[in-house]
Amino acid sequence: MNDGTTLPAAMAPDPDLLYSEDEDALRAAVRSLLAARSDPATVLAGLQSDVAYDTGLWHSLATEIGTAGLLVPEKLGGAGATAREAAVVLEEIGRAVAPVPYLTSAVLAVTALLGCEHDRADVAASLAALAEGRTVGVLAVPLPTAPGGLSGPASVRADAGGALTGRVTSVADAAAAELLLVPAQGPDGPALYAVDPSAGGVRTDTVTPLDLTRPLGHLTFDGAPGRLLATGDRAGATVDRALLTGAGLLASEQLGVAEWCLAETVRHTAERTQFGRPVGSFQALKHRMAALWLDVASARAAARNAADALATESPDAPVAVAVAQSYCAPVAVRVAEECVQLHGGIGMTWEHPAHLYLKRAKSDELALGSPGRHREALAGLVGIAAP
Amino acid sequence: MTDADDLRRRTAELLAAHPPAITGRLEFLRARFDAGLAWVHFPRGLGGLDAPRSLQAVVDAELEAAGAPGNDPGRIGIGLGMAAPTILRFGADEQKQRFLRPLWTGEEVWCQLFSEPGAGSDLAALATRAVREDGGEAGSGGDWIVDGQKVWTSSAHLARWAILIARTDPGVPKHRGISYFVCDMTDPGVEVRPLRQITGEAEFNEVFLTGVRIPDAHRLGAVGEGWKVAQTTLMNERVAIGGARMPREGGMIGVAAADWRARPELRTHDLHQRLLKLWVEAEVARLTGERLRQQMTKGQPGPEGSGMKLAFARLAQEISGWEVEFLAEDGLTYDDWTMRRPDGVDFTGREAGYRYLRAKGNSIEGGTSEVLLNIVAERVLGLPPEPRTDKDVAWKDLPR
C-alpha cells in the first residue's frame, strides 16, 4: 500500500478543462436534435410504451450526427475523436434524460471491443457496426459494477466449445442489445465472449427500473453460443478499461442532469409568486440555489478533468475518474432533490419532468460504482490508507 | 508580440545585468520592475509588458531557478491584490507612476480602510466623512479632511498607504455619496490600535481617523463614484482569496493528509471516510479554480470566480475542524495564546488549533459567505433581489 511516501501531487497533470470549438459545435448539434425530438414531454409520453429505447432518436443521434463512433479510430470505421467529445454528448443526454443506449453501446461496449484484437476481422466488423450505430452493443455486467469490480468469481461459465451458461442481473439496455459482450469464466480462466442474443440460449427478463429512461434486464445464458474475444489478463484489462471509461464519462451525464435541474429551478422560482413576490427573491431559497450553482460549476471541472484524463490516456485517469464519480454523483442527486423540493407541489407530480431527472440521478449514483466505492478506490490510489 | 521566448530572453538579460548573488534585494526588485517583469500583464513602464497574464509563470520559474529574491507577496498582499488593480484601472498617470513601483517592490506596504463598526456586509452604509476643506467646490483642488473609524484592517501597523472609502455627500442615497482615496498612514490624525482575535494574535487593527488631511490629487475616480471604484477592489479581493493556484494536496488538505499518514495510531473508520470526502472536495475545488484560470487566460472570464471563495472558506473550516478532532489529545492543546502582531497571514501556518480558529474568518473577511451567495444568486443566476428599503433614501435619513 502506498502510504504517502511518494506524494501524488508530483504526478497531478495539467489537464485542459475547457471546451474546444469543435466540442461546442458537437454540443450544438446534439442539443438541437434532442430539443426537437426528446423534450421532456416526449420522453414522458414514451415511458408508457413497450419499446426498449427510442429507435428513431437513436438513429439520428448515433448515425446521422455520428456520435456512436466518436471513440472508434477512423481506420476502424469511427470518427477518431476522444472521451472529451463523448463526454459532451453525454452532458446533453443527461440534460434531456434521453432514452438512448449511448453510455452502454457507444462507450462501454465500444471501449471493451477496442481492448480486444481489433485487427481480427470479426472484432473489426463488430466495432464498425457499433461505430455506425447499426448495432447496439452491451457489456453484460450489472449496472452497479465499479472499475475493478469484476475480480470476484464470474457468474457466467463457458465450456471448451464456447457455450455460455449462467446469469447476469441488472444489465442496462439489455433488451436493446443486438451484441452482448459477456465476461465469463472460460476453460482457461477469465475471458470475454461475444454473444448474439437472437441466436438462442439467451433469455432477457426485463425488470421494472427506478429510472424508466434507462431500462434494465436480467440475462440468462443456457448454452448460448459465444465467440471468444479475449482471454486472461487481456480480458480483465479491457473490461476494466471499459468500466473506468464508462464511470468517468458518466460524470458528464450527471453534470447534464444537474444543469437542467438547476436551470429549471431558477426559472420556476423567479416566476412563481407567493407572499406578493417571486419566491426566488427570498434568501432562504436563493442561497440554496447559489450553493447548487457552485456544486454544478465544480462538477463541471471534475467531469472535464476525468474526460481529459481518459482522452489523453493519462496515468492519472484512475484518480481523475474516482474523484469525478465520488463528486458528481451526489451533486446530481442533490440538485435533482432540490429541484423537486423548490418546485413545491408541482415537483411531486407525474406530469412535471422533475421526477425523470431525480430517478436518473439516483440510478446514476449507483451505476458503475457508488461514490463510496470510488472513495475507497481513491484511498489506495492517493495513499490515504484505511485504519 | 511578447511571447514566452521573448520573456525568457528578457529574464536572462535582467539576471545578467543584475546577478542575484551580488545584487541587493531591493535593487534587484526595482530592476525587475523596470524591466517589465514584475507583473507582465501590466502596461509597459508600470512593471509590465502588456503580455498575457498566464506568461508570468514563465518569468517566475526562471527567476526562482536563478535564486532571485522575491517581493514577499504574503506581506504585501493587499497592495498587490487590491490596491494595484484599482490604481491601474482608475488612477491618473501620476498616481500610477508614484504608487505602483514601491508597492510592488514592497518598499511601501498598503492596507485597506473599508469596513466600519456599523458597515460590514452593508459596506455602502459607511459613515466615515470626507469634507472638502474649502467647502467642496468642484475643481477647487482643496484638501479633504477625513474623520471616522475603520476596522478589520490587516497590515495597518506596517502600512505606508491605505485605500480608503469615505462619504463625501450624505444627502444622496448611500451608494452615490462615496468617494475613493489614497490615505497617508503617516498623517498625525491616523491612529492604529491592534484588534486581538480569537487566535490570540492581532493580525487586524482598528484605525481611528481624526482630521486626516488628504490632497485631492490622492482621490481615485470621480467624487461620488467611489462605490464603483471599490467594486474593482472587492472583486479582486475575492479572486485573490479564492483563486491562488494550488498543486494537488496543496493548502489545508495537504496538512490533514500528512497528519493522517504520520499518525496511524489515531486513525478511525469514521475519520477515514470523512477525510476521503474532504480530499475529493479539495481536489475538485482545486480543479474548479484551475478551470477558472484557464478561462481567464483565454479571455473568457467565467462566473466561477464569485464561488471560489465560498468553496475555499467552507473547506478550510471543515478540514481544520477535522484535523483538531483527528489529533485527539494534541487537539486539546494550543501552541501559544500570546498576543502577537504577524506581518502577514498564513492560513496553514502554526498548529491545528490555530488553523481551526483562523479559518473561522475565511467566511467573514472579504465578503461574508452569505453576501457572496446573494451575489451568485442575483448576478450569476439572475434571481430577483430582495426588496430594499434603503435604495432611494438619502444616507443622512437612514435609520441607524
Side-chain angles (χ1 to χ4, degrees):
Chain A
M1 165 77 53
N2 170 9
D3 209 23
T5 41
T6 54
L7 255 190
M11 56 176 273
D14 234 0
D16 174 2
L17 301 173
L18 305 180
Y19 298 102
S20 70
E21 282 177 25
D22 287 349
E23 287 160 16
D24 285 340
L26 174 65
R27 176 196 304 286
V30 174
R31 185 176 291 187
S32 99
L33 171 74
L34 294 178
R37 303 266 295 279
S38 186
D39 63 292
T42 308
V43 175
L44 262 173
L47 296 182
Q48 259 74 4
S49 70
D50 280 337
V51 297
Y53 64 101
D54 185 336
T55 46
L57 178 65
W58 174 245
H59 178 76
S60 298
L61 179 71
T63 307
E64 287 167 19
I65 300 184
T67 60
L70 286 173
L71 295 179
V72 179
E74 284 180 55
K75 63 175 171 24
L76 295 169
T82 70
R84 291 178 55 92
E85 290 80 5
V88 168
V89 174
L90 278 163
E91 269 182 48
E92 294 306 312
I93 287 174
R95 188 198 290 269
V97 281
V100 286
Y102 189 83
L103 181 70
T104 41
S105 186
V107 177
L108 285 161
V110 159
T111 313
L113 273 179
L114 281 171
C116 302
E117 289 171 53
H118 42 65
D119 45 1
R120 244 172 61 182
D122 61 321
V123 174
S126 293
L127 261 175
L130 258 55
E132 290 164 21
R134 283 186 279 119
T135 297
V136 172
V138 164
L139 179 64
V141 296
L143 182 58
T145 310
L150 272 192
S151 47
S155 63
V156 178
R157 308 191 73 82
D159 66 18
L164 272 61
T165 305
R167 185 169 157 85
V168 187
T169 51
S170 303
V171 178
D173 293 322
E178 294 153 320
L179 170 68
L180 289 168
L181 307 177
V182 188
Q185 186 67 26
D188 304 315
L192 182 67
Y193 289 85
V195 174
D196 176 356
S198 67
V202 181
R203 195 179 77 233
T204 306
D205 300 311
T206 57
V207 292
T208 306
L210 176 70
D211 171 16
L212 287 157
T213 64
R214 180 168 280 144
L216 296 178
H218 302 321
L219 293 169
T220 307
F221 301 94
D222 185 10
R227 173 162 50 87
L228 186 62
L229 291 170
T231 55
D233 290 346
R234 179 155 197 169
T238 194
V239 171
D240 245 4
R241 182 72 190 177
L243 292 169
L244 186 73
T245 306
L249 295 188
L250 179 62
S252 288
E253 178 176 300
Q254 289 159 334
L255 168 64
V257 168
E259 275 186 315
W260 183 91
C261 289
L262 178 59
E264 276 305 300
T265 305
V266 168
R267 194 181 63 74
H268 173 75
T269 56
E271 287 170 1
R272 166 80 173 167
T273 299
Q274 293 282 273
F275 306 103
R277 55 175 165 129
V279 294
S281 67
F282 289 96
Q283 284 191 345
L285 270 58
K286 68 167 45 153
H287 281 192
R288 280 161 68 173
M289 287 182 270
L292 296 177
W293 172 83
L294 180 57
D295 291 344
V296 172
S298 305
R300 185 185 310 285
R304 277 278 88 185
N305 185 52
D308 191 71
L310 291 165
T312 57
E313 298 186 17
S314 161
D316 195 51
V319 172
V321 169
V323 166
Q325 263 311 305
S326 33
Y327 190 82
C328 297
V331 164
V333 172
R334 183 156 60 240
V335 185
E337 288 176 348
E338 287 284 76
C339 178
V340 170
Q341 173 65 24
L342 296 181
H343 273 78
I346 184 78
M348 199 59 200
T349 63
W350 187 267
E351 69 173 301
H352 191 281
H355 67 94
L356 297 176
Y357 291 83
L358 177 65
K359 292 162 186 171
R360 173 66 74 90
K362 197 63 191 171
S363 159
D364 276 359
E365 187 183 38
L366 277 63
L368 300 170
S370 65
R373 295 293 290 272
H374 285 283
R375 282 195 295 271
E376 275 173 31
L378 208 49
L381 290 167
V382 303
I384 297 181
Chain B
M1 183 61 203
T2 308
D3 58 15
D5 286 341
D6 181 46
L7 287 176
R8 281 194 197 92
R9 182 182 56 74
R10 288 171 187 267
T11 307
E13 284 171 9
L14 171 72
L15 288 165
H18 307 273
I22 56 163
T23 309
R25 179 176 176 278
L26 194 53
E27 185 191 338
F28 184 87
L29 291 172
R30 286 173 176 165
R32 178 177 165 186
F33 187 93
D34 295 338
L37 299 170
W39 32 31
V40 297
H41 61 290
F42 266 53
R44 288 167 199 274
L46 295 173
L49 293 165
D50 296 304
R53 193 179 194 135
S54 56
L55 290 180
Q56 186 65 45
V58 174
V59 175
D60 292 349
E62 299 279 318
L63 289 176
E64 197 185 324
N71 62 348
D72 195 0
R75 182 170 166 273
I76 58 171
I78 292 170
L80 293 174
M82 290 150 238
T86 313
I87 293 168
L88 181 67
R89 173 139 180 226
F90 290 97
D93 285 345
E94 319 80 83
Q95 292 170 330
K96 295 179 197 170
Q97 292 294 344
R98 165 64 188 86
F99 293 126
L100 289 175
R101 188 173 185 253
L103 179 159
W104 187 86
T105 61
E107 288 163 78
E108 292 179 347
V109 175
W110 286 67
C111 66
Q112 176 183 346
L113 297 174
F114 277 28
S115 294
E116 299 182 4
S121 287
D122 186 11
L123 180 61
L126 61 88
T128 293
R129 289 280 281 118
V131 178
R132 207 71 178 270
E133 194 172 38
D134 56 9
E137 199 180 311
S140 64
D143 290 350
W144 296 83
I145 306 299
V146 180
D147 289 279
Q149 182 190 345
K150 296 288 181 177
V151 73
W152 309 125
T153 316
S154 325
S155 310
H157 55 296
L158 307 169
R160 172 71 181 80
W161 300 104
I163 43 178
L164 163 76
I165 46 178
R167 187 158 308 281
T168 46
D169 186 354
V172 295
K174 60 183 183 181
H175 290 96
R176 303 217 304 263
I178 295 170
S179 301
Y180 196 117
F181 301 95
V182 172
C183 174
D184 182 349
M185 292 296 285
T186 66
D187 185 285
V190 175
E191 186 196 350
V192 176
R193 295 185 200 161
L195 189 59
R196 198 172 185 197
Q197 299 154 228
I198 58 176
T199 55
E201 65 182 10
E203 176 192 329
F204 302 128
N205 301 277
E206 296 178 289
V207 179
F208 294 84
L209 306 168
T210 312
V212 174
R213 180 172 294 274
I214 298 181
D216 193 50
H218 283 185
R219 175 167 45 79
L220 283 179
V223 175
E225 294 284 314
W227 185 250
K228 203 176 81 187
V229 183
Q231 291 310 301
T232 296
T233 311
L234 295 175
M235 292 310 287
N236 277 289
E237 177 175 26
R238 282 161 204 160
V239 171
I241 289 178
R245 185 163 198 173
M246 288 268 187
R248 179 176 286 169
E249 284 197 7
M252 206 78 93
I253 193 64
V255 178
D259 282 351
W260 180 267
R261 291 172 186 135
R263 306 287 300 271
E265 76 282 7
L266 297 179
R267 297 174 189 169
T268 69
H269 288 288
D270 168 61
L271 286 159
H272 187 236
Q273 294 298 319
R274 284 156 58 200
L275 177 61
L276 286 171
K277 266 192 161 170
L278 292 168
W279 196 97
V280 167
E281 289 173 15
E283 170 69 358
V284 173
R286 183 184 78 81
L287 290 166
T288 310
E290 181 57 33
R291 184 161 196 276
L292 173 68
R293 266 182 297 281
Q294 291 182 6
Q295 282 179 308
M296 295 203 304
T297 304
K298 288 212 168 168
Q300 28 172 309
E304 278 91 343
S306 332
M308 286 314 298
K309 181 178 175 289
L310 282 167
F312 165 78
R314 188 183 60 79
L315 275 170
Q317 291 171 354
E318 286 190 21
I319 296 168
S320 59
W322 177 94
E323 194 195 4
V324 171
E325 185 183 338
F326 172 72
L327 290 175
E329 282 183 46
D330 290 345
L332 291 171
T333 64
Y334 195 78
D335 60 351
D336 183 7
W337 290 114
T338 309
M339 196 193 93
R340 296 190 266 182
R341 307 195 82 190
D343 273 5
V345 52
D346 179 6
F347 295 132
T348 55
R350 289 178 60 174
E351 290 190 345
Y354 173 85
R355 287 191 277 276
Y356 171 69
L357 294 172
R358 181 60 187 83
K360 294 298 160 219
N362 294 161
S363 54
I364 301 170
E365 58 205 340
T368 64
S369 290
E370 289 72 20
V371 163
L372 293 181
L373 286 168
N374 278 349
I375 291 175
V376 169
E378 291 174 18
R379 299 200 201 151
V380 180
L381 295 177
L383 284 164
E386 293 258 354
R388 299 273 291 263
T389 54
D390 57 356
K391 224 174 162 179
D392 302 314
V393 181
W395 177 83
K396 64 179 170 51
D397 299 326
L398 288 176
R400 69 176 66 80

